[in-house]
Amino acid sequence: MKLSSKNIETRLDTVYDAIVVGGGMGGLSAAIYLARYGLKCLVVEKGRGRSFWMQDTRNFLGQDPTAPGRDIIKHGTEQALGWGADFLRGFVEEVTDEGETFAVKVKIGKKDEVGHTLRTKYVVAASGVMDNLPKLDDMQNVYDYAGYTLHVCMICDGFDMWNQKAALIVNTEGQANAAFVLNWFTPYISVFTHGLFEVSAEMKQKLADHGYPLYEQPIAKFHGEDHRMSGIELADGTMVDATTGLVGMGSQRHNAYLKGIDLEYNGQDLVTDNMCKTSHDRIFALGDLKQGLNQVSIAVADGTLAATQIWRTTRRAAEPRKWEENIGKLSA
């Protein structure tokens, strides 16, 4: 059922088997499996996550390569609702461990100052990450190309950069090393720091040894037409040819709601077992929040694993269902 501020009161006394935080690829996969296992499940989705900005899905089995992420999410949401999951457009502020249940504080819309508290036996963290993009005075200029010919994932989109003039945009020297991986797909690489840090003499020499120009001026504008880049203009007026780009400026994980719970991390990534269970027995983490590849195919599989482990644990603790009418009638 679709929930909103108008009907959320009907669920305040419900104890869900699982609340899934995030309605992207991984979260919807988990919800579909949880619902089909007959478990009470709620998806809380804040909107406009990473997969929403995917303009096409070129490397996911069974999907038309031109299918945008938002269409896949829409279809997956309808699937989850069709199997009996609840869905709420809202923002999870905090998860508190109460012992047998978690209290999940959710705010619905900008006018919801108090929020609502829902309860669940399990939490599935599938809230993902948001990639950092270069900050320009006109951010719409960035959005005109992001997800089209300005990419954030080399594994997803390296093929689409094959032998093109590529701009690698970074905000640390360590990330500039991506040039020496990107060169598998194209040797025509220009590196841009957007004026955010000073490049060492060693890195300058390494880039020069590979023939990769370095531009340390801030970026003023992306040029192109119909979402296809043609070049980059710098603050000093310099124009650099670039038909594609890779932004390697890191990302922000949406996991603040878990900070009150003692969980094991490796850097910013949650540590999980092979069924996506974190160091807490009743909290699971999917996709970009955990260690591993940040890929749609991985997130979808993670949702399947987490939902299945929750079902297995729930099933083992439940009384077996019996065909009562036949008990005593059947011979051994």
Side-chain angles (χ1 to χ4, degrees):
M1 180 168 113
K2 279 191 175 181
L3 302 179
S4 68
S5 58
K6 296 179 180 180
N7 62 0
I8 189 66
E9 301 290 337
T10 65
R11 291 295 192 265
L12 296 184
D13 293 330
T14 297
V15 177
Y16 285 99
D17 292 300
I19 288 181
V20 181
V21 184
M25 306 296 187
L28 290 172
S29 172
I32 289 167
Y33 273 84
L34 287 164
R36 284 175 57 82
Y37 284 135
L39 300 176
K40 293 193 295 293
C41 158
L42 166 68
V43 178
V44 183
E45 165 60 12
K46 64 176 178 51
R48 294 182 175 270
R50 194 185 207 191
S51 51
F52 177 87
W53 293 101
M54 291 165 42
Q55 307 302 333
D56 47 38
T57 313
R58 295 174 180 258
N59 58 348
F60 189 38
L61 180 66
Q63 287 292 337
D64 188 307
T66 62
R70 60 185 176 274
D71 286 358
I72 301 173
I73 291 169
K74 181 177 182 292
H75 183 70
T77 302
E78 292 170 353
Q79 278 188 288
L81 286 165
W83 294 119
D86 284 349
F87 183 91
L88 172 66
R89 184 75 69 180
F91 181 80
V92 174
E93 280 199 319
E94 184 180 18
V95 173
T96 304
D97 189 352
E98 299 181 316
E100 293 185 1
T101 60
F102 295 101
V104 179
K105 186 177 179 182
V106 179
K107 285 194 173 182
I108 307 170
K110 295 180 179 179
K111 297 181 180 179
D112 186 358
E113 296 181 0
V114 178
H116 303 269
T117 298
L118 302 166
R119 284 180 167 78
T120 182
K121 298 173 185 175
Y122 290 88
V123 171
V124 179
S127 40
V129 304
M130 185 58 72
D131 297 285
N132 297 325
L133 297 173
K135 302 298 183 186
L136 272 60
D137 290 339
D138 178 12
M139 284 305 296
Q140 185 58 51
N141 176 243
V142 181
Y143 302 143
D144 285 343
Y145 301 98
Y148 294 96
T149 50
L150 184 61
H151 307 289
V152 295
C153 176
M154 193 187 314
I155 293 173
C156 304
D157 302 310
F159 177 85
D160 298 301
M161 305 173 76
W162 202 274
N163 284 341
Q164 293 193 53
K165 289 185 177 180
L168 173 62
I169 305 167
V170 298
N171 59 1
T172 69
E173 183 159 305
Q175 288 162 340
N177 283 298
F180 310 112
V181 182
L182 181 59
N183 61 15
W184 172 267
F185 299 101
T186 179
Y188 312 119
I189 300 168
S190 298
V191 178
F192 297 78
T193 69
H194 197 33
L196 296 173
F197 66 98
E198 186 173 340
V199 181
S200 69
E202 291 80 8
M203 178 57 76
K204 287 181 179 179
Q205 188 60 55
K206 187 175 181 181
L207 292 170
D209 288 344
H210 285 73
Y212 305 155
L214 172 65
Y215 298 94
E216 298 183 81
Q217 284 279 327
I219 295 170
K221 185 178 181 179
F222 292 92
H223 286 261
E225 189 175 355
D226 295 331
H227 306 299
R228 303 191 67 82
M229 284 175 55
S230 61
I232 294 178
E233 181 181 348
L234 301 181
D236 64 0
T238 300
M239 288 291 300
V240 182
D241 289 341
T243 57
T244 188
L246 179 68
V247 179
M249 302 179 72
S251 57
Q252 301 297 319
R253 286 157 180 76
H254 295 300
N255 59 7
Y257 56 90
L258 293 173
K259 294 304 183 181
I261 299 176
D262 185 20
L263 297 171
E264 183 181 355
Y265 289 82
N266 183 351
Q268 296 186 65
D269 296 325
L270 281 160
V271 176
T272 63
D273 67 9
N274 60 1
M275 295 299 284
C276 300
K277 184 171 70 175
T278 69
S279 54
H280 192 299
D281 278 346
R282 291 180 292 111
I283 298 178
F284 291 74
L286 314 182
D288 300 345
L289 290 186
K290 57 182 271 294
Q291 292 177 292
L293 289 176
N294 294 359
Q295 295 289 292
V296 168
S297 54
I298 302 297
V300 170
D302 285 347
T304 305
L305 291 169
T308 299
Q309 187 58 44
I310 291 170
W311 168 67
R312 285 175 177 171
T313 304
T314 303
R315 173 180 58 80
R316 289 165 183 162
E319 289 292 325
R321 299 177 68 188
K322 299 178 181 179
W323 193 341
E324 299 289 349
E325 293 83 357
N326 279 351
I327 293 176
K329 296 181 181 179
L330 302 175
S331 58

PDB file of all heavy atoms in Angstrom, residues 176-177 179-180 183 187 189-191 199-216:
ATOM      1  N   ALA A 176      43.599  11.396  -8.948  1.00  0.00           N
ATOM      2  CA  ALA A 176      44.190  11.599 -10.272  1.00  0.00           C
ATOM      3  C   ALA A 176      44.791  10.313 -10.820  1.00  0.00           C
ATOM      4  O   ALA A 176      44.966  10.158 -12.036  1.00  0.00           O
ATOM      5  CB  ALA A 176      45.259  12.691 -10.211  1.00  0.00           C
ATOM      6  N   ASN A 177      45.074   9.358  -9.932  1.00  0.00           N
ATOM      7  CA  ASN A 177      45.598   8.068 -10.384  1.00  0.00           C
ATOM      8  C   ASN A 177      44.597   7.285 -11.219  1.00  0.00           C
ATOM      9  O   ASN A 177      44.968   6.320 -11.893  1.00  0.00           O
ATOM     10  CB  ASN A 177      46.041   7.226  -9.178  1.00  0.00           C
ATOM     11  CG  ASN A 177      47.366   7.694  -8.622  1.00  0.00           C
ATOM     12  OD1 ASN A 177      48.388   7.653  -9.300  1.00  0.00           O
ATOM     13  ND2 ASN A 177      47.361   8.136  -7.374  1.00  0.00           N
ATOM     14  N   ALA A 179      43.505   8.175 -13.853  1.00  0.00           N
ATOM     15  CA  ALA A 179      43.933   8.329 -15.244  1.00  0.00           C
ATOM     16  C   ALA A 179      44.653   7.088 -15.743  1.00  0.00           C
ATOM     17  O   ALA A 179      44.547   6.718 -16.918  1.00  0.00           O
ATOM     18  CB  ALA A 179      44.842   9.556 -15.389  1.00  0.00           C
ATOM     19  N   PHE A 180      45.358   6.423 -14.836  1.00  0.00           N
ATOM     20  CA  PHE A 180      46.175   5.279 -15.239  1.00  0.00           C
ATOM     21  C   PHE A 180      45.381   3.971 -15.228  1.00  0.00           C
ATOM     22  O   PHE A 180      45.918   2.908 -15.472  1.00  0.00           O
ATOM     23  CB  PHE A 180      47.402   5.202 -14.324  1.00  0.00           C
ATOM     24  CG  PHE A 180      48.103   6.530 -14.211  1.00  0.00           C
ATOM     25  CD1 PHE A 180      48.106   7.231 -13.006  1.00  0.00           C
ATOM     26  CD2 PHE A 180      48.695   7.106 -15.325  1.00  0.00           C
ATOM     27  CE1 PHE A 180      48.704   8.472 -12.912  1.00  0.00           C
ATOM     28  CE2 PHE A 180      49.308   8.353 -15.237  1.00  0.00           C
ATOM     29  CZ  PHE A 180      49.306   9.037 -14.036  1.00  0.00           C
ATOM     30  N   ASN A 183      43.013   4.798 -18.847  1.00  0.00           N
ATOM     31  CA  ASN A 183      43.725   4.654 -20.123  1.00  0.00           C
ATOM     32  C   ASN A 183      43.556   3.274 -20.762  1.00  0.00           C
ATOM     33  O   ASN A 183      43.985   3.050 -21.886  1.00  0.00           O
ATOM     34  CB  ASN A 183      45.206   5.017 -19.984  1.00  0.00           C
ATOM     35  CG  ASN A 183      45.961   4.134 -19.004  1.00  0.00           C
ATOM     36  OD1 ASN A 183      45.502   3.069 -18.601  1.00  0.00           O
ATOM     37  ND2 ASN A 183      47.141   4.607 -18.607  1.00  0.00           N
ATOM     38  N   PRO A 187      43.397   6.601 -24.418  1.00  0.00           N
ATOM     39  CA  PRO A 187      44.633   7.268 -24.015  1.00  0.00           C
ATOM     40  C   PRO A 187      44.540   8.790 -24.085  1.00  0.00           C
ATOM     41  O   PRO A 187      45.466   9.484 -23.682  1.00  0.00           O
ATOM     42  CB  PRO A 187      45.639   6.745 -25.052  1.00  0.00           C
ATOM     43  CG  PRO A 187      44.820   6.595 -26.296  1.00  0.00           C
ATOM     44  CD  PRO A 187      43.428   6.175 -25.827  1.00  0.00           C
ATOM     45  N   ILE A 189      43.442  11.505 -22.532  1.00  0.00           N
ATOM     46  CA  ILE A 189      42.957  11.930 -21.220  1.00  0.00           C
ATOM     47  C   ILE A 189      43.542  13.287 -20.844  1.00  0.00           C
ATOM     48  O   ILE A 189      44.759  13.500 -20.932  1.00  0.00           O
ATOM     49  CB  ILE A 189      43.343  10.894 -20.145  1.00  0.00           C
ATOM     50  CG1 ILE A 189      42.735   9.529 -20.483  1.00  0.00           C
ATOM     51  CG2 ILE A 189      42.899  11.358 -18.757  1.00  0.00           C
ATOM     52  CD1 ILE A 189      43.295   8.393 -19.641  1.00  0.00           C
ATOM     53  N   SER A 190      42.676  14.191 -20.427  1.00  0.00           N
ATOM     54  CA  SER A 190      43.090  15.458 -19.831  1.00  0.00           C
ATOM     55  C   SER A 190      42.594  15.482 -18.388  1.00  0.00           C
ATOM     56  O   SER A 190      41.444  15.115 -18.112  1.00  0.00           O
ATOM     57  CB  SER A 190      42.502  16.643 -20.599  1.00  0.00           C
ATOM     58  OG  SER A 190      42.970  16.671 -21.939  1.00  0.00           O
ATOM     59  N   VAL A 191      43.451  15.912 -17.475  1.00  0.00           N
ATOM     60  CA  VAL A 191      43.121  15.901 -16.045  1.00  0.00           C
ATOM     61  C   VAL A 191      42.832  17.323 -15.573  1.00  0.00           C
ATOM     62  O   VAL A 191      43.607  18.247 -15.841  1.00  0.00           O
ATOM     63  CB  VAL A 191      44.267  15.286 -15.228  1.00  0.00           C
ATOM     64  CG1 VAL A 191      43.937  15.317 -13.731  1.00  0.00           C
ATOM     65  CG2 VAL A 191      44.530  13.851 -15.684  1.00  0.00           C
ATOM     66  N   VAL A 199      48.864  20.147  -7.269  1.00  0.00           N
ATOM     67  CA  VAL A 199      49.397  18.875  -7.746  1.00  0.00           C
ATOM     68  C   VAL A 199      50.906  18.835  -7.492  1.00  0.00           C
ATOM     69  O   VAL A 199      51.624  19.809  -7.759  1.00  0.00           O
ATOM     70  CB  VAL A 199      49.103  18.685  -9.243  1.00  0.00           C
ATOM     71  CG1 VAL A 199      49.641  17.336  -9.734  1.00  0.00           C
ATOM     72  CG2 VAL A 199      47.598  18.787  -9.500  1.00  0.00           C
ATOM     73  N   SER A 200      51.373  17.697  -6.971  1.00  0.00           N
ATOM     74  CA  SER A 200      52.793  17.557  -6.675  1.00  0.00           C
ATOM     75  C   SER A 200      53.615  17.469  -7.959  1.00  0.00           C
ATOM     76  O   SER A 200      53.098  17.114  -9.025  1.00  0.00           O
ATOM     77  CB  SER A 200      53.036  16.301  -5.835  1.00  0.00           C
ATOM     78  OG  SER A 200      52.794  15.140  -6.610  1.00  0.00           O
ATOM     79  N   ALA A 201      54.891  17.748  -7.827  1.00  0.00           N
ATOM     80  CA  ALA A 201      55.801  17.646  -8.975  1.00  0.00           C
ATOM     81  C   ALA A 201      55.858  16.212  -9.489  1.00  0.00           C
ATOM     82  O   ALA A 201      55.949  15.985 -10.709  1.00  0.00           O
ATOM     83  CB  ALA A 201      57.189  18.125  -8.573  1.00  0.00           C
ATOM     84  N   GLU A 202      55.784  15.249  -8.575  1.00  0.00           N
ATOM     85  CA  GLU A 202      55.840  13.839  -8.982  1.00  0.00           C
ATOM     86  C   GLU A 202      54.637  13.462  -9.840  1.00  0.00           C
ATOM     87  O   GLU A 202      54.780  12.784 -10.858  1.00  0.00           O
ATOM     88  CB  GLU A 202      55.906  12.936  -7.739  1.00  0.00           C
ATOM     89  CG  GLU A 202      57.198  13.012  -6.955  1.00  0.00           C
ATOM     90  CD  GLU A 202      57.282  14.229  -6.037  1.00  0.00           C
ATOM     91  OE1 GLU A 202      56.246  14.950  -5.888  1.00  0.00           O
ATOM     92  OE2 GLU A 202      58.357  14.458  -5.460  1.00  0.00           O
ATOM     93  N   MET A 203      53.433  13.905  -9.426  1.00  0.00           N
ATOM     94  CA  MET A 203      52.240  13.581 -10.207  1.00  0.00           C
ATOM     95  C   MET A 203      52.259  14.312 -11.544  1.00  0.00           C
ATOM     96  O   MET A 203      51.870  13.742 -12.583  1.00  0.00           O
ATOM     97  CB  MET A 203      50.975  13.929  -9.430  1.00  0.00           C
ATOM     98  CG  MET A 203      49.674  13.673 -10.201  1.00  0.00           C
ATOM     99  SD  MET A 203      49.486  11.944 -10.762  1.00  0.00           S
ATOM    100  CE  MET A 203      49.047  11.147  -9.208  1.00  0.00           C
ATOM    101  N   LYS A 204      52.721  15.555 -11.542  1.00  0.00           N
ATOM    102  CA  LYS A 204      52.814  16.297 -12.802  1.00  0.00           C
ATOM    103  C   LYS A 204      53.711  15.562 -13.791  1.00  0.00           C
ATOM    104  O   LYS A 204      53.382  15.451 -14.983  1.00  0.00           O
ATOM    105  CB  LYS A 204      53.340  17.702 -12.546  1.00  0.00           C
ATOM    106  CG  LYS A 204      52.342  18.635 -11.872  1.00  0.00           C
ATOM    107  CD  LYS A 204      52.948  20.020 -11.673  1.00  0.00           C
ATOM    108  CE  LYS A 204      51.945  20.965 -11.030  1.00  0.00           C
ATOM    109  NZ  LYS A 204      52.518  22.310 -10.797  1.00  0.00           N
ATOM    110  N   GLN A 205      54.823  15.044 -13.283  1.00  0.00           N
ATOM    111  CA  GLN A 205      55.740  14.338 -14.162  1.00  0.00           C
ATOM    112  C   GLN A 205      55.139  13.038 -14.656  1.00  0.00           C
ATOM    113  O   GLN A 205      55.291  12.674 -15.830  1.00  0.00           O
ATOM    114  CB  GLN A 205      57.063  14.064 -13.438  1.00  0.00           C
ATOM    115  CG  GLN A 205      58.152  13.496 -14.340  1.00  0.00           C
ATOM    116  CD  GLN A 205      58.495  14.439 -15.480  1.00  0.00           C
ATOM    117  OE1 GLN A 205      58.826  15.606 -15.256  1.00  0.00           O
ATOM    118  NE2 GLN A 205      58.396  13.959 -16.718  1.00  0.00           N
ATOM    119  N   LYS A 206      54.431  12.332 -13.770  1.00  0.00           N
ATOM    120  CA  LYS A 206      53.815  11.052 -14.152  1.00  0.00           C
ATOM    121  C   LYS A 206      52.774  11.275 -15.247  1.00  0.00           C
ATOM    122  O   LYS A 206      52.707  10.512 -16.223  1.00  0.00           O
ATOM    123  CB  LYS A 206      53.176  10.387 -12.933  1.00  0.00           C
ATOM    124  CG  LYS A 206      52.663   8.974 -13.185  1.00  0.00           C
ATOM    125  CD  LYS A 206      52.143   8.342 -11.892  1.00  0.00           C
ATOM    126  CE  LYS A 206      51.643   6.927 -12.127  1.00  0.00           C
ATOM    127  NZ  LYS A 206      51.104   6.314 -10.878  1.00  0.00           N
ATOM    128  N   LEU A 207      51.958  12.311 -15.089  1.00  0.00           N
ATOM    129  CA  LEU A 207      50.957  12.630 -16.115  1.00  0.00           C
ATOM    130  C   LEU A 207      51.642  13.012 -17.426  1.00  0.00           C
ATOM    131  O   LEU A 207      51.234  12.561 -18.507  1.00  0.00           O
ATOM    132  CB  LEU A 207      50.051  13.761 -15.643  1.00  0.00           C
ATOM    133  CG  LEU A 207      49.104  13.444 -14.472  1.00  0.00           C
ATOM    134  CD1 LEU A 207      48.453  14.711 -13.950  1.00  0.00           C
ATOM    135  CD2 LEU A 207      48.043  12.426 -14.880  1.00  0.00           C
ATOM    136  N   ALA A 208      52.691  13.820 -17.316  1.00  0.00           N
ATOM    137  CA  ALA A 208      53.416  14.236 -18.517  1.00  0.00           C
ATOM    138  C   ALA A 208      54.051  13.055 -19.221  1.00  0.00           C
ATOM    139  O   ALA A 208      54.076  12.990 -20.469  1.00  0.00           O
ATOM    140  CB  ALA A 208      54.486  15.276 -18.152  1.00  0.00           C
ATOM    141  N   ASP A 209      54.556  12.093 -18.455  1.00  0.00           N
ATOM    142  CA  ASP A 209      55.191  10.908 -19.043  1.00  0.00           C
ATOM    143  C   ASP A 209      54.197  10.078 -19.849  1.00  0.00           C
ATOM    144  O   ASP A 209      54.596   9.329 -20.752  1.00  0.00           O
ATOM    145  CB  ASP A 209      55.814  10.035 -17.945  1.00  0.00           C
ATOM    146  CG  ASP A 209      57.070  10.658 -17.341  1.00  0.00           C
ATOM    147  OD1 ASP A 209      57.626  11.590 -17.949  1.00  0.00           O
ATOM    148  OD2 ASP A 209      57.468  10.209 -16.249  1.00  0.00           O
ATOM    149  N   HIS A 210      52.916  10.199 -19.506  1.00  0.00           N
ATOM    150  CA  HIS A 210      51.874   9.465 -20.239  1.00  0.00           C
ATOM    151  C   HIS A 210      51.225  10.341 -21.319  1.00  0.00           C
ATOM    152  O   HIS A 210      50.354   9.861 -22.056  1.00  0.00           O
ATOM    153  CB  HIS A 210      50.792   8.973 -19.273  1.00  0.00           C
ATOM    154  CG  HIS A 210      51.216   7.789 -18.451  1.00  0.00           C
ATOM    155  ND1 HIS A 210      52.107   7.884 -17.412  1.00  0.00           N
ATOM    156  CD2 HIS A 210      50.866   6.472 -18.543  1.00  0.00           C
ATOM    157  CE1 HIS A 210      52.282   6.700 -16.877  1.00  0.00           C
ATOM    158  NE2 HIS A 210      51.544   5.819 -17.544  1.00  0.00           N
ATOM    159  N   GLY A 211      51.609  11.601 -21.381  1.00  0.00           N
ATOM    160  CA  GLY A 211      51.047  12.509 -22.392  1.00  0.00           C
ATOM    161  C   GLY A 211      49.708  13.083 -22.011  1.00  0.00           C
ATOM    162  O   GLY A 211      48.953  13.521 -22.896  1.00  0.00           O
ATOM    163  N   TYR A 212      49.392  13.131 -20.694  1.00  0.00           N
ATOM    164  CA  TYR A 212      48.083  13.593 -20.254  1.00  0.00           C
ATOM    165  C   TYR A 212      48.190  15.056 -19.794  1.00  0.00           C
ATOM    166  O   TYR A 212      48.811  15.340 -18.764  1.00  0.00           O
ATOM    167  CB  TYR A 212      47.552  12.746 -19.098  1.00  0.00           C
ATOM    168  CG  TYR A 212      47.491  11.265 -19.390  1.00  0.00           C
ATOM    169  CD1 TYR A 212      47.543  10.331 -18.364  1.00  0.00           C
ATOM    170  CD2 TYR A 212      47.374  10.783 -20.693  1.00  0.00           C
ATOM    171  CE1 TYR A 212      47.474   8.978 -18.618  1.00  0.00           C
ATOM    172  CE2 TYR A 212      47.313   9.427 -20.962  1.00  0.00           C
ATOM    173  CZ  TYR A 212      47.372   8.531 -19.925  1.00  0.00           C
ATOM    174  OH  TYR A 212      47.317   7.185 -20.174  1.00  0.00           O
ATOM    175  N   PRO A 213      47.568  16.012 -20.492  1.00  0.00           N
ATOM    176  CA  PRO A 213      47.606  17.413 -20.067  1.00  0.00           C
ATOM    177  C   PRO A 213      46.934  17.594 -18.709  1.00  0.00           C
ATOM    178  O   PRO A 213      45.956  16.911 -18.372  1.00  0.00           O
ATOM    179  CB  PRO A 213      46.827  18.139 -21.162  1.00  0.00           C
ATOM    180  CG  PRO A 213      46.841  17.213 -22.331  1.00  0.00           C
ATOM    181  CD  PRO A 213      46.851  15.830 -21.767  1.00  0.00           C
ATOM    182  N   LEU A 214      47.467  18.526 -17.928  1.00  0.00           N
ATOM    183  CA  LEU A 214      46.930  18.850 -16.610  1.00  0.00           C
ATOM    184  C   LEU A 214      46.446  20.293 -16.618  1.00  0.00           C
ATOM    185  O   LEU A 214      47.179  21.205 -17.005  1.00  0.00           O
ATOM    186  CB  LEU A 214      48.014  18.665 -15.544  1.00  0.00           C
ATOM    187  CG  LEU A 214      47.677  19.142 -14.124  1.00  0.00           C
ATOM    188  CD1 LEU A 214      46.532  18.316 -13.531  1.00  0.00           C
ATOM    189  CD2 LEU A 214      48.916  19.075 -13.240  1.00  0.00           C
ATOM    190  N   TYR A 215      45.184  20.511 -16.142  1.00  0.00           N
ATOM    191  CA  TYR A 215      44.609  21.848 -16.079  1.00  0.00           C
ATOM    192  C   TYR A 215      44.193  22.119 -14.626  1.00  0.00           C
ATOM    193  O   TYR A 215      43.336  21.405 -14.078  1.00  0.00           O
ATOM    194  CB  TYR A 215      43.404  21.967 -17.009  1.00  0.00           C
ATOM    195  CG  TYR A 215      43.761  21.748 -18.464  1.00  0.00           C
ATOM    196  CD1 TYR A 215      43.632  20.486 -19.042  1.00  0.00           C
ATOM    197  CD2 TYR A 215      44.247  22.786 -19.243  1.00  0.00           C
ATOM    198  CE1 TYR A 215      43.972  20.268 -20.366  1.00  0.00           C
ATOM    199  CE2 TYR A 215      44.594  22.585 -20.572  1.00  0.00           C
ATOM    200  CZ  TYR A 215      44.453  21.327 -21.119  1.00  0.00           C
ATOM    201  OH  TYR A 215      44.806  21.125 -22.440  1.00  0.00           O
ATOM    202  N   GLU A 216      44.818  23.122 -14.024  1.00  0.00           N
ATOM    203  CA  GLU A 216      44.579  23.399 -12.609  1.00  0.00           C
ATOM    204  C   GLU A 216      43.687  24.609 -12.370  1.00  0.00           C
ATOM    205  O   GLU A 216      43.398  24.954 -11.234  1.00  0.00           O
ATOM    206  CB  GLU A 216      45.925  23.582 -11.898  1.00  0.00           C
ATOM    207  CG  GLU A 216      46.794  22.320 -11.959  1.00  0.00           C
ATOM    208  CD  GLU A 216      48.095  22.457 -11.199  1.00  0.00           C
ATOM    209  OE1 GLU A 216      48.063  22.284  -9.960  1.00  0.00           O
ATOM    210  OE2 GLU A 216      49.129  22.745 -11.844  1.00  0.00           O
TER     211      GLU A 216
END
